[in-house]
């Protein structure tokens, strides 16, 4: 049996170990939040953003964003139908309603044409995802937002280090959010980051992420119903070391992607999800679609992988189908991807021989019509 091929997992070096040791030794008393502060600054510096707040998870960063932008019951948010459910729930938490639209077949990110069609007088914001670390069409999305006076929230949870025309994703919208979950490109186990350039939104985000506390009254005073969302300093000590290595981490993912690309682009019926020109994906989760001429079921491919000690993932089921939402949308591209899409292993410990093994296993299981 071949060694276990993990789907995801970080690159941990002495730098991370030293930073966590520093966190555990020196992250208390007067310096109880020093790593959180350093992490928020490192993110602002990297993105070219003004403000950041570290949170327990990416989901909570998204909730902080939607709440601080003032979304509420009666508002509609145009949202991609293809994402991890946290994207949609972070809208629901505010009382607003997600309106699900289809994706671009090449990037699996929200299709700007479909955004235009979904706009009505209740629409307040666009929630996009840089799916699996591939940048969404930011020029067009920002243009649509401007023309229609809509806010933009970027779910960049898996996309730290991705670039759109040289600018970091997560730095375009009214808010941009990231995750440091253990399966992302930069990890802290659980962790998230809210970012914005808007001072007013940042002030609300500080209140909401820290129990609505203000300086207006006594110590422990609270003026708003807030949440306890801020990141633990020890967690930040790990995330900090990872963020300082982000270019190196992107290079690892892109190397793995290119090993896949060299092998899979030669196989008929496999469509590889790629960055568009003038963008840089971080290829957090390299993904493929089994095209129509392939008769093998996607789930049979996944079970064959499993038998061979390879951990791959099916693409996301459409969020609009969940019983918690029970909404009816056609979204044919996302429907095709949910049935025939696969994210391939890209853990940081994989080498070229491992990728070769995954590709050979895939090639051997595929049958054609
Ligand atoms: C990982 C992820 C999230 C949630 O992040 P957590 O840190 O797990 O809460 C949200 N949206 C997308 C697209 C993600 O990939």
């Amino acid at each position: 049996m071949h060694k276990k091929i993990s789907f995801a997992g970080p690159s941990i070096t002495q730098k991370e170990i030293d930073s966590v040791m520093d966190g555990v030794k020196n992250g208390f008393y007067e310096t109880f939040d020093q790593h959180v502060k350093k992490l928020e600054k490192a993110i602002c510096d990297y993105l070219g953003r003004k403000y950041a707040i570290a949170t327990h998870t990416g989901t909570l960063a998204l909730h902080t964003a939607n709440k601080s932008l003032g979304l509420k019951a009666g508002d509609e948010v145009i949202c991609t139908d293809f994402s991890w459910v946290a994207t949609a729930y972070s809208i629901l938490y505010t009382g607003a309603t997600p309106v699900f639209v289809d994706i671009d077949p090449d990037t699996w990110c929200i299709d700007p044409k479909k955004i235009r069609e979904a706009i009505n007088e209740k629409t307040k914001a666009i929630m996009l995802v840089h799916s699996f670390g591939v940048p969404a069409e930011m020029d067009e999305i920002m243009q649509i937002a401007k023309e229609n006076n809509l806010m933009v929230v970027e779910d960049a949870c898996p996309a730290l280090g991705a670039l759109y025309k040289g600018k970091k994703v997560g730095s375009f919208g009214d808010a941009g959010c990231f995750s440091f979950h253990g399966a992302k490109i930069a990890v802290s186990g659980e962790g998230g980051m809210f970012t914005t350039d808007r001072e007013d939104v940042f002030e609300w985000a500080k209140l909401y992420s820290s129990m609505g506390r203000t300086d207006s009254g006594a110590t422990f005073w609270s003026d708003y119903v807030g949440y306890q969302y801020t990141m633990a300093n020890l967690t930040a000590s790990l995330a900090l070391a990872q963020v300082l290595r982000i270019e190196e981490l992107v290079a690892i993912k892109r190397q793995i992607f290119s090993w896949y690309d060299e092998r899979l682009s030669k196989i008929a019926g496999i469509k590889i999800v790629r960055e568009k020109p003038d963008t840089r994906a971080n290829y957090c989760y390299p993904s493929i679609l089994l095209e129509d001429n392939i008769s093998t079921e996607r789930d049979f491919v996944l079970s064959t992988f499993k038998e061979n000690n390879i951990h791959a993932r099916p693409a996301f089921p459409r969020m609009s189908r969940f019983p918690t939402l029970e909404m009816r949308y056609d979204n044919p591209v996302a429907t095709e991807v949910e049935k025939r899409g696969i994210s391939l292993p890209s853990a940081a410990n994989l080498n070229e021989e491992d990728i070769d093994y995954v590709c050979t296993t895939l090639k051997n299981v595929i049958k054609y019509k």
Side-chain angles (χ1 to χ4, degrees):
M1 189 64 128
H2 198 281
K3 83 170 199 217
K4 173 87 186 167
I5 307 285
S6 302
F7 177 72
S11 157
I12 298 293
T13 64
Q14 194 60 41
K15 289 181 181 156
E16 281 75 8
I17 295 165
D18 290 345
S19 189
V20 172
M21 288 302 278
D22 187 44
V24 78
K25 283 185 192 158
N26 304 314
F28 299 98
Y29 298 100
E30 285 69 33
T31 50
F32 71 98
D33 63 352
Q34 62 165 327
H35 296 85
V36 172
K37 292 277 168 294
K38 283 181 193 165
L39 173 64
E40 290 168 347
K41 182 167 187 310
I43 283 284
C44 285
D45 290 350
Y46 181 70
L47 297 178
R49 264 294 204 205
K50 287 200 181 120
Y51 308 105
I53 297 174
T55 57
H56 292 311
T57 67
T59 305
L60 300 181
L62 288 166
H63 181 211
T64 301
N66 291 335
K67 183 83 185 164
S68 305
L69 291 170
L71 294 174
K72 57 182 187 319
D75 294 343
E76 288 187 1
V77 179
I78 298 174
C79 180
T80 174
D81 204 356
F82 180 80
S83 184
W84 167 235
V85 70
T87 312
Y89 284 1
S90 74
I91 298 169
L92 291 184
Y93 295 158
T94 68
T97 307
V99 173
F100 293 106
V101 302
D102 212 351
I103 52 174
D104 177 316
D106 296 325
T107 61
W108 298 0
C109 294
I110 196 164
D111 182 343
K113 287 191 295 298
K114 307 293 173 193
I115 298 176
R116 282 190 196 278
E117 290 165 14
I119 294 172
N120 66 40
E121 63 287 351
K122 287 189 194 149
T123 310
K124 290 287 171 345
I126 300 166
M127 166 74 87
L128 63 102
V129 179
H130 301 289
S131 299
F132 300 149
V134 177
E137 287 288 352
M138 290 319 297
D139 277 353
E140 238 181 303
I141 293 168
M142 295 311 288
Q143 183 61 30
I144 295 168
K146 201 170 150 199
E147 283 167 18
N148 296 278
N149 199 21
L150 303 176
M151 297 181 289
V152 174
V153 181
E154 293 177 80
D155 179 344
C157 280
L160 187 63
L163 307 177
Y164 180 87
K165 299 195 176 167
K167 187 169 148 93
K168 269 89 177 182
V169 308
S171 71
F172 288 81
D174 294 87
C177 299
F178 298 89
S179 167
F180 300 110
H181 181 273
K184 301 296 204 263
I185 188 164
V187 310
S188 62
E190 296 279 5
M193 187 66 68
F194 158 87
T195 74
T196 184
D197 284 336
R198 284 178 54 180
E199 192 181 356
D200 58 330
V201 176
F202 176 60
E203 292 300 329
W204 281 114
K206 269 199 296 192
L207 286 172
Y208 285 130
S209 62
S210 191
M211 300 304 275
R213 277 187 290 179
T214 59
D215 301 330
S216 65
T219 305
F220 300 128
W221 194 262
S222 174
D223 283 314
Y224 300 91
V225 179
Y227 310 90
Q228 189 52 41
Y229 280 179
T230 48
M231 183 185 271
N233 192 70
L234 191 55
T235 301
S237 68
L238 178 50
L240 173 62
Q242 291 264 280
V243 167
L244 295 176
R245 289 180 57 226
I246 186 65
E247 287 300 315
E248 199 184 326
L249 303 181
V250 171
I252 293 172
K253 288 284 188 183
R254 289 183 64 85
Q255 173 67 75
I256 291 172
F257 175 83
S258 73
W259 288 329
Y260 278 122
D261 198 19
E262 280 166 29
R263 290 159 178 83
L264 298 181
S265 53
K266 291 181 207 136
I267 304 180
I270 291 191
K271 178 169 177 173
I272 302 169
V273 178
R274 282 175 209 288
E275 62 198 7
K276 294 215 163 153
D278 213 3
T279 73
R280 178 179 83 170
N282 72 2
Y283 290 122
C284 189
Y285 307 122
S287 298
I288 56 168
L289 185 82
L290 307 177
E291 290 181 314
D292 274 352
N293 56 339
I294 290 179
S295 57
T296 318
E297 293 285 331
R298 188 269 314 272
D299 291 346
F300 185 73
V301 173
L302 291 177
S303 60
T304 305
F305 274 156
K306 205 168 165 202
E307 282 162 17
N308 287 282
N309 241 1
I310 296 167
H311 182 194
R313 280 187 188 171
F316 294 122
R318 287 183 300 136
M319 297 183 292
S320 62
R321 292 171 52 228
F322 293 149
T324 45
L325 289 149
E326 285 226 61
M327 292 175 165
R328 298 283 170 267
Y329 290 96
D330 276 345
N331 296 339
V333 179
T335 301
E336 183 72 6
V337 172
E338 80 178 326
K339 286 188 200 135
R340 303 182 65 86
I342 298 176
S343 293
L344 297 166
S346 66
N349 66 352
L350 300 181
N351 60 32
E352 186 165 12
E353 188 265 319
D354 298 326
I355 304 307
D356 202 51
Y357 172 67
V358 175
C359 295
T360 307
T361 307
L362 178 62
K363 205 170 156 184
N364 290 341
V365 70
I366 288 174
K367 304 260 178 315
Y368 294 90
K369 283 179 183 163

